[in-house]
Amino acid sequence: MAKVYKFGGASVRDAEGVRNLERIVRAADSDLVVVVSAMGKTTNALERVVEALAAGQEDKALSQWVDIIDYHVAIMKALGLQPGVDVRLQGEIPYDPQQSFDENYDQVVSLGEIMSTQIVAVYLLKQGCPVEWWNMPKLLRTDDTWREAKVDDEASRAIIRAGWDRPQRPRIVVAQGFIGGTADGRRTTLGREGSDYTAALMANYLDAESVTIWKDVPGILNADPRIEPETILIPSLRYQDAVELSYSGAQVIHPKTIRPLENKHIPLYVKPFSEPEAAGSCISAEACGPINVPVYIWRKNQILITMRAKDFAFVLEESLSEIFDIIHRHRLKVSLIQSSAVTISVCVDNTRFVADAIAALNVHFNVTYNENLSLLTIRGTTPEILEQAKAGRTIMLSQTTRRTARLVVKE
Ligand code: ASP
Ligand code: MG
């Protein structure tokens, strides 16, 4: 049976990371799909290349691009690989001014994962590991919703299974996370941080025994260690808890990751990259019990939009479906909803789609909004914990149920 291992950008940000990946992969006792993200902050850097090109700043784009290539070349050299010989380097930036920004984005940004997996695969091969490099744009079939492509499960499953079930396949497959391709061969991306989702899809298609996400944290913690100095490891949790945590903004796994696993009861382990023997956290159908520590989750970069009916109509009764239709059409991600008789407020991720959505809502309602907000979700809250969390903060809105508090906080 197969296992799926996923290595994020932080895990492969330098040569030492790639060597550590090799040790972990070697120690595995089964056939492996190794899903790898772009190295370090490469995705962000590639985004800047596309933005610069779109703004007509070719010099800036080129110098960014050279930095990205140099970064990969340095890692290759440190691994004893010959750039241009062992791994072919992309010559030109695949940018076409005739195409939309989003389509160009996918062609350029997807190169991060192409490069990282080529380096990892060639390195493993040179170390004597039986490896095959998989080109996901040809295997993971998607539509052409650029930057947020929808996966065609049926087609992808058939292609990926056929590749996997070949008699001569090496024991280890190295595949890009985050990227796929259309039927006519264009590269697509699945949404930022989408490599976990790829790992889950691969596990689903191949009926894998488990998925392990190798991270630079000990497992799933009850708070973000970058914000809270003291955190507690949650050793086991149920799929539904994991969905809730990631939806609330916990960055440890991508929200789309759970469904493909839950469907097939495939457990998901989150383990520390630097300490492979550690138990980490396990997400499965039967956890040992409810989470019994308070969990703090921040979802940053929120905007609170409040709609008020223009003619004193009751917003809730008369306009709810209209509001949500607009929200859905503009691809807004709603993190919280609150209503009164004549207003409805939604907290959403402040993405590039928000301005158009507000314009559309403004046609029907009086719209006001506040930016630079964060949503703090506290699971397992108590009145004391809530008081502590509120202290010294400007709270724009709060919602509490028996065990969960949600605060919209001004940054
Ligand atoms: N490299 C992509 C990103 O940074 C995908 C991922 O890391 O999961 O968004
Ligand atoms: Mg990443």
Side-chain angles (χ1 to χ4, degrees):
M1 236 176 153
K3 285 185 182 167
V4 177
Y5 281 5
K6 181 258 172 175
F7 294 88
S11 307
V12 291
R13 66 168 172 241
D14 53 20
E16 191 39 50
V18 178
R19 288 194 201 100
N20 195 28
L21 176 152
E22 183 214 337
R23 282 190 285 276
I24 292 174
V25 163
R26 249 183 216 288
D29 51 8
S30 62
D31 285 13
L32 275 191
V33 178
V34 179
V35 173
V36 184
S37 301
M39 293 176 154
K41 302 266 180 242
T42 301
T43 306
N44 292 348
L46 287 166
E47 281 187 340
R48 289 197 293 273
V49 170
V50 196
E51 283 159 10
L53 285 171
Q57 302 167 323
E58 280 187 22
D59 291 350
K60 190 170 165 197
L62 212 57
S63 95
Q64 280 279 355
W65 174 256
V66 169
D67 287 350
I68 295 168
I69 298 293
D70 286 350
Y71 166 63
H72 287 85
V73 164
I75 293 177
M76 280 185 247
K77 286 186 177 159
L79 291 169
L81 304 178
Q82 268 184 285
V85 179
D86 292 322
V87 176
R88 202 167 48 86
L89 292 169
Q90 178 85 22
E92 277 177 20
I93 310 173
Y95 185 90
D96 177 354
Q98 305 299 327
Q99 285 164 4
S100 70
F101 179 89
D102 288 353
E103 184 170 359
N104 274 313
Y105 177 103
D106 277 3
Q107 308 321 307
V108 175
V109 168
S110 54
L111 295 177
E113 270 71 11
I114 301 276
M115 288 190 279
S116 67
T117 51
Q118 282 178 332
I119 294 172
V120 166
V122 171
Y123 178 72
L124 289 175
L125 259 183
K126 292 226 160 186
Q127 302 306 306
C129 292
V131 170
E132 188 166 85
W133 179 78
W134 277 16
N135 185 22
M136 296 303 275
K138 296 254 183 296
L139 305 174
L140 190 71
R141 181 65 57 79
T142 72
D143 69 3
D144 62 358
T145 312
W146 312 112
R147 301 181 69 176
E148 240 176 290
K150 304 281 167 296
V151 175
D152 177 343
D153 278 318
E154 213 177 310
S156 305
R157 175 178 283 114
I159 301 169
I160 284 166
R161 282 210 80 115
W164 185 256
D165 292 337
R166 281 169 22 248
Q168 304 300 332
R169 169 185 54 77
R171 188 173 71 80
I172 303 170
V173 159
V174 174
Q176 305 86 44
F178 174 59
I179 70 174
T182 60
D184 62 356
R186 309 288 295 153
R187 288 193 295 272
T188 54
T189 65
L190 309 180
R192 285 302 307 266
E193 307 302 334
S195 294
D196 295 348
Y197 177 44
T198 304
L201 290 175
M202 295 298 262
N204 179 297
Y205 300 158
L206 300 177
D207 294 305
E209 189 182 324
S210 64
V211 174
T212 306
I213 298 183
W214 297 94
K215 303 239 7 153
D216 54 355
V217 288
I220 298 188
L221 303 172
N222 77 321
D224 185 337
R226 288 167 301 186
I227 300 173
E228 295 290 330
E230 277 171 41
T231 56
I232 303 166
L233 178 76
I234 304 171
S236 87
L237 57 166
R238 296 165 303 170
Y239 291 121
Q240 69 199 71
D241 295 323
V243 169
E244 231 187 280
L245 296 191
S246 64
Y247 185 78
S248 304
Q251 283 178 356
V252 66
I253 40 173
H254 189 279
K256 282 186 182 167
T257 311
I258 300 301
R259 185 151 68 163
L261 301 178
E262 196 268 334
N263 281 343
K264 293 206 166 170
H265 284 246
I266 299 169
L268 171 65
Y269 298 94
V270 179
K271 291 194 185 213
F273 182 62
S274 53
E275 210 189 322
E277 308 304 323
S281 302
C282 175
I283 301 166
S284 64
E286 319 84 17
C288 314
I291 302 174
N292 55 11
V293 292
V295 182
Y296 297 79
I297 309 133
W298 286 92
R299 185 157 161 165
K300 300 254 171 204
N301 195 26
Q302 300 291 297
I303 176 166
L304 183 66
I305 306 173
T306 300
M307 285 138 284
R308 181 180 293 273
K310 286 190 163 155
D311 51 3
F312 285 96
F314 294 110
V315 176
L316 256 195
E317 285 152 30
E318 294 166 23
S319 318
L320 211 49
S321 66
E322 201 174 333
I323 291 172
F324 282 96
D325 183 51
I326 293 173
I327 285 176
H328 180 72
R329 271 192 284 117
H330 288 83
R331 300 202 224 166
L332 300 194
K333 302 234 159 55
V334 177
S335 49
L336 175 144
I337 304 165
Q338 184 142 306
S339 64
S340 72
V342 291
T343 69
I344 178 159
S345 298
V346 293
C347 199
V348 300
D349 291 349
N350 198 355
T351 61
R352 65 207 156 96
F353 304 117
V354 163
D356 283 351
I358 289 179
L361 291 165
N362 239 328
V363 175
H364 310 280
F365 309 97
N366 292 318
V367 181
T368 49
Y369 60 89
N370 293 84
E371 294 178 278
N372 301 324
L373 306 175
S374 288
L375 175 66
L376 171 61
T377 302
I378 310 173
R379 286 203 31 157
T381 190
T382 61
E384 298 78 52
I385 289 174
L386 187 56
E387 275 322 302
Q388 251 176 31
K390 283 183 171 170
R393 293 195 163 113
T394 309
I395 311 293
M396 305 291 294
L397 193 156
S398 79
Q399 267 183 7
T400 53
T401 57
R402 254 163 308 171
R403 301 270 300 147
T404 303
R406 314 188 73 206
L407 305 174
V408 178
V409 180
K410 206 166 181 162
E411 297 270 13

